[in-house]
């Protein structure tokens, strides 16, 4: 498989450290509010990436954190703690907020058919691990204590900005404009590993540490969780492009200083979803969520389809027009795939030909749009029987996860349900009395209302057409 590596700024052949086993880490949500559909675009891209690797024969172990402490409202350790902000907003405790929004996030992923990673760990469950790492960084001279906090000393590294390819001055001025300067730092780019001098008297979650009562910085949690669960070497690390700096830059700095060797080979980032006014953000008030799309009548999978039709490295602009269009195309496609019958035998050669083509496209830096073209070619190919087409659709859908062969369950109202039950009982009695004419008439009457009666060994059931 080929994938674009932010670290080398080119599309590369993917080679995991162990031949067929892939260790993948993806940054998880900060659970202080609902995820917006921009955040979810990133999780959809990571899901496609994981499923593609699996499709190509790799065994993937994926780990994700849940940020429930330490993430400030600015990514550069300043501002307010996001979790505390959420708790204040809703007059709840930080733990209540974390629990509630983690559940919401889980439900959103389920609706979008995003697989829950094999290992998911909360930042607050791994405090010992961060303390262990920070102690070693202090011992080895990569960290220092100042003004009550423990900082990482970025001047100790030769190439701190390796991932960003930016000049020091650009990064510092660009990102930190308008943010008050922390005078305890030795260098502008240094970042907090452990806060003991909290700006907030009412900071709820604090732990004992060798440096006093406090709490971890945001970046250390991903290094700690990844090293604890996936070991010293990581094949792939993902996130949205906003994570490149400072979050992933800092993760590399502290992990490699701690481990004493290169940590992760492939850094893969998904571009943002913007709205027509620009960047999507939770602080903007009425932001776009999966539930909001549902309220407006859109299926979450239509949104997934929309994301898959653009490349993960391109900015995608959200509008209801674009979603409506995607939704119509998705419904049409599904109607077509659902009409495929279980007829004929699988034509092995054709199956292999199209499957190879699909693997080539999806394995080419996750070219989902081209992978759809293969799917459409399959549907158009008149030399293929329905069974072969069906099997190919089923196979491709293990990556797309668009439920292309899943029949919609039709909701029926209570009144219709009662009517059907009554008619079925009448039919049962007619059959018992050997009045087959009446039994048939009832069957026909129901059929006219699109209700199909099925007599099985276990009894009589019905289905709505
Ligand atoms: P957060 O919950 O803020 O920590 O973000 C969760 C994930 O969403 C991170 O991987 C971010 O990089 C990503 N993200 C944030 N904003 C957007 C956006 N507008 N479009 C796509 N991904 C985003
Ligand atoms: Zn992270």
């Amino acid at each position: 498989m080929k994938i674009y590596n932010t670290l080398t700024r080119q599309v590369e052949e993917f080679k995991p450290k162990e031949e067929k086993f892939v260790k993948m880490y993806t940054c998880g949500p900060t659970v202080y509010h609902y995820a917006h559909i921009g955040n979810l675009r990133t999780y959809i891209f990571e899901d496609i990436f994981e499923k593609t690797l699996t499709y190509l024969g790799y065994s993937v172990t994926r780990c994700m954190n849940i940020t429930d402490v330490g993430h400030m409202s600015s990514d550069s350790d300043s501002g307010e703690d996001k979790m505390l902000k959420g708790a204040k907003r809703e007059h709840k405790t930080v733990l209540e907020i974390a629990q509630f929004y983690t559940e919401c996030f889980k439900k959103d992923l389920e609706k979008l058919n995003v697989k829950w990673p094999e290992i998911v760990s909360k930042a607050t469950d791994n405090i010992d691990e961060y303390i262990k790492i920070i102690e070693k960084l202090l011992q080895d001279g990569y960290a220092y204590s100042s003004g009550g906090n423990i900082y990482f000393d970025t001047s100790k590294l030769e190439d701190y900005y390796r991932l960003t390819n930016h000049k020091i001055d650009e990064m510092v001025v660009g990102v930190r404009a308008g943010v008050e300067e922390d005078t305890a730092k030795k260098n502008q780019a240094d970042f907090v590993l452990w806060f003991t001098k909290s700006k907030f008297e009412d900071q709820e979650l604090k732990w004992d540490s060798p440096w006093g009562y406090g709490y971890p910085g945001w970046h250390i949690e991903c290094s700690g969780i990844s090293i604890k669960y996936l070991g010293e070497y990581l094949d792939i690390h993902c996130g949205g492009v906003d994570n490149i700096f400072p979050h992933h830059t800092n993760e590399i700095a502290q992990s490699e200083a701690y481990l004493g060797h290169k940590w992760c080979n492939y850094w893969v980032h998904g571009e943002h979803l913007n709205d027509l006014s620009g960047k999507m953000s939770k602080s903007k008030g009425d932001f776009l969520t999966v539930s909001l799309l549902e309220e407006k009548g859109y299926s979450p999978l239509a949104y997934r389809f929309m994301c898959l039709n653009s490349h993960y490295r391109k900015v995608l602009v959200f509008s209801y027009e674009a979603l409506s269009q995607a939704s119509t195309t998705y419904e049409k496609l599904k109607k077509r795939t659902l009409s495929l019958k279980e007829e004929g035998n699988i034509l092995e050669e054709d199956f292999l030909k199209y499957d190879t083509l699909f693997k080539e496209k999806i394995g080419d830096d996750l070219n989902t749009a081209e992978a759809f073209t293969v799917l459409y070619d399959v549907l158009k190919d008149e030399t293929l029987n329905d069974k072969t087409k069906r099997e190919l659709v089923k196979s491709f859908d293990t990556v797309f996860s668009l439920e292309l062969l899943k029949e919609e369950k039709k909701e029926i109202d209570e009144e219709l349900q009662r009517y059907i039950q009554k008619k079925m009982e009448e039919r049962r009695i007619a059959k018992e009395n050997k009045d087959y004419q009446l039994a048939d008439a009832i069957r026909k009457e129901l059929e006219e209302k699109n209700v199909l009666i099925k007599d099985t060994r276990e009894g009589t059931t019905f289905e709505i057409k």
Side-chain angles (χ1 to χ4, degrees):
M1 138 154 238
K2 290 197 220 96
I3 197 76
Y4 181 85
N5 189 350
T6 309
L7 198 59
T8 55
R9 281 164 275 281
Q10 58 191 8
V11 176
E12 289 180 353
E13 193 61 43
F14 173 68
K15 285 200 197 86
K17 214 157 169 59
E18 281 180 66
E19 207 181 327
K20 281 285 165 194
F21 296 92
V22 176
K23 289 178 179 175
M24 180 177 191
Y25 186 89
T26 53
C27 290
T30 311
V31 283
Y32 72 111
H33 218 320
Y34 296 106
H36 59 57
I37 58 170
N39 301 129
L40 293 165
R41 182 189 184 199
T42 294
Y43 297 104
I44 291 172
F45 132 67
E46 292 162 347
D47 183 57
I48 286 286
F49 194 5
E50 178 183 353
K51 287 174 178 164
T52 297
L53 288 164
T54 308
Y55 199 80
L56 296 175
Y58 294 102
S59 165
V60 185
T61 310
R62 178 170 160 201
C63 177
M64 182 178 81
N65 64 304
I66 300 282
T67 302
D68 53 359
V69 71
H71 193 177
M72 301 295 138
S73 50
S74 151
D75 278 353
S76 48
D77 303 331
S78 55
E80 204 176 347
D81 181 297
K82 284 188 178 181
M83 293 304 300
L84 198 60
K85 202 170 151 183
K88 277 188 193 159
R89 183 187 65 232
E90 297 182 23
H91 309 289
K92 291 193 180 136
T93 66
V94 164
L95 283 177
E96 282 167 346
I97 287 285
Q99 221 164 24
F100 179 77
Y101 287 112
T102 303
E103 277 311 306
C104 295
F105 176 67
K106 215 170 174 175
K107 281 187 199 136
D108 282 348
L109 294 197
E110 264 168 33
K111 286 180 188 167
L112 292 163
N113 279 344
V114 171
K115 180 176 168 280
W116 191 245
E118 197 179 322
I119 305 163
V120 178
S121 192
K122 293 191 285 185
T124 50
D125 280 346
N126 301 283
I127 302 294
D128 290 355
E129 188 71 20
Y130 318 142
I131 291 178
K132 188 174 88 187
I133 297 175
I134 298 167
E135 273 185 315
K136 183 159 189 294
L137 291 175
L138 278 163
Q139 247 170 39
D140 296 348
Y142 285 108
Y144 60 91
S145 162
S146 174
N149 295 332
I150 308 294
Y151 294 89
F152 186 92
D153 187 347
T154 53
S155 71
K156 290 279 156 47
L157 302 181
E158 292 216 331
D159 199 3
Y160 168 67
Y161 291 101
R162 184 151 45 105
L163 191 65
T164 65
N165 200 24
H166 277 71
K167 306 261 179 309
I168 294 179
D169 291 350
E170 279 174 38
M171 296 313 289
V172 171
V173 176
V175 175
R176 309 210 169 172
V179 169
E180 69 184 271
E181 203 179 304
D182 181 349
T183 49
K185 287 181 184 181
K186 283 192 197 165
N187 314 288
Q188 269 292 306
D190 294 354
F191 55 93
V192 178
L193 295 165
W194 189 267
F195 289 98
T196 54
K197 193 172 155 285
S198 173
K199 277 191 256 180
F200 323 111
E201 291 301 311
D202 51 353
Q203 182 73 18
E204 277 177 40
L205 301 176
K206 290 188 187 183
W207 294 264
D208 267 329
S209 81
W211 322 287
Y213 206 43
Y215 61 105
W218 172 40
H219 317 294
I220 194 72
E221 70 175 84
C222 287
S223 295
I225 291 174
S226 172
I227 292 169
K228 180 169 168 184
Y229 295 99
L230 297 175
E232 285 194 14
Y233 294 94
L234 196 57
D235 294 303
I236 300 167
H237 195 131
C238 296
V241 284
D242 58 303
N243 283 160
I244 298 174
F245 187 86
H247 186 48
H248 288 169
T249 298
N250 292 348
E251 279 190 45
I252 295 178
Q254 67 206 2
S255 299
E256 297 193 352
Y258 171 70
L259 295 167
H261 57 71
K262 189 174 180 190
W263 174 44
C264 175
N265 284 331
Y266 300 88
W267 288 84
V268 186
H269 295 98
E271 249 305 344
H272 273 183
L273 176 84
N274 291 343
D275 57 26
L276 293 168
S277 65
K279 192 173 178 282
M280 204 162 280
S281 116
K282 293 185 202 179
S283 53
K284 273 189 186 169
D286 195 16
F287 57 86
L288 290 163
T289 60
V290 166
S291 312
L292 187 66
L293 297 188
E294 282 181 306
E295 274 167 35
K296 291 188 184 278
Y298 296 100
S299 128
L301 292 186
Y303 175 63
R304 183 177 172 105
F305 181 76
M306 178 180 162
C307 291
L308 299 191
N309 271 283
S310 82
H311 195 253
Y312 77 96
R313 281 199 287 126
K314 288 217 174 87
V315 172
L316 179 62
V317 179
F318 179 83
S319 68
Y320 281 109
E321 285 74 30
L323 181 60
S324 294
Q325 223 166 40
S327 186
T328 310
T329 316
Y330 172 56
E331 291 306 328
K332 258 197 211 156
L333 170 65
K334 196 163 166 176
K335 206 168 156 198
R336 219 157 143 204
T337 49
L338 277 175
S339 72
L340 295 171
K341 305 205 169 51
E342 288 276 6
E343 278 171 8
N345 295 320
I346 302 173
L347 306 168
E348 297 293 345
E349 257 180 49
D350 293 294
F351 183 94
L352 209 66
K353 180 184 98 182
Y354 279 113
D355 191 51
T356 308
L357 214 55
F358 177 79
K359 282 178 176 158
E360 252 172 54
K361 300 296 180 191
I362 199 81
D364 181 12
D365 197 23
L366 302 174
N367 198 335
T368 41
E370 286 281 320
F372 275 123
T373 308
V374 180
L375 173 66
Y376 282 111
D377 286 346
V378 166
L379 295 172
K380 267 190 291 192
D381 189 339
E382 285 173 6
T383 68
L384 295 183
N385 60 23
D386 268 17
K387 178 72 179 169
T388 310
K389 289 185 182 183
R390 232 186 129 83
E391 286 307 307
L392 282 162
V393 171
K394 197 188 219 172
S395 196
F396 300 169
D397 208 29
T398 58
V399 178
F400 291 141
S401 300
L402 288 167
E403 300 182 357
L404 293 173
L405 292 172
K406 191 171 165 188
E407 299 273 359
E408 297 293 330
K409 261 198 247 132
K410 295 220 172 67
E411 302 262 325
I412 55 169
D413 64 35
E414 276 179 37
E415 200 182 331
L416 180 61
Q417 176 100 28
R418 272 198 302 272
Y419 169 78
I420 297 170
Q421 299 288 325
K422 186 173 140 253
K423 285 288 161 190
M424 282 193 356
E425 182 58 12
E426 281 175 23
R427 184 169 168 270
R428 190 188 63 77
I429 295 168
K431 276 170 74 177
E432 218 170 64
N433 297 334
K434 301 204 166 36
D435 187 350
Y436 299 112
Q437 221 174 351
L438 178 60
D440 270 0
I442 294 171
R443 174 197 284 278
K444 280 219 179 79
E445 188 187 329
L446 284 169
E447 261 179 27
E448 274 160 24
K449 294 191 159 56
N450 288 330
V451 181
L452 296 182
I453 296 289
K454 280 187 184 168
D455 293 313
T456 67
R457 229 182 286 165
E458 287 77 33
T460 306
T461 59
F462 69 91
E463 199 177 87
I464 308 285
K465 248 201 292 190

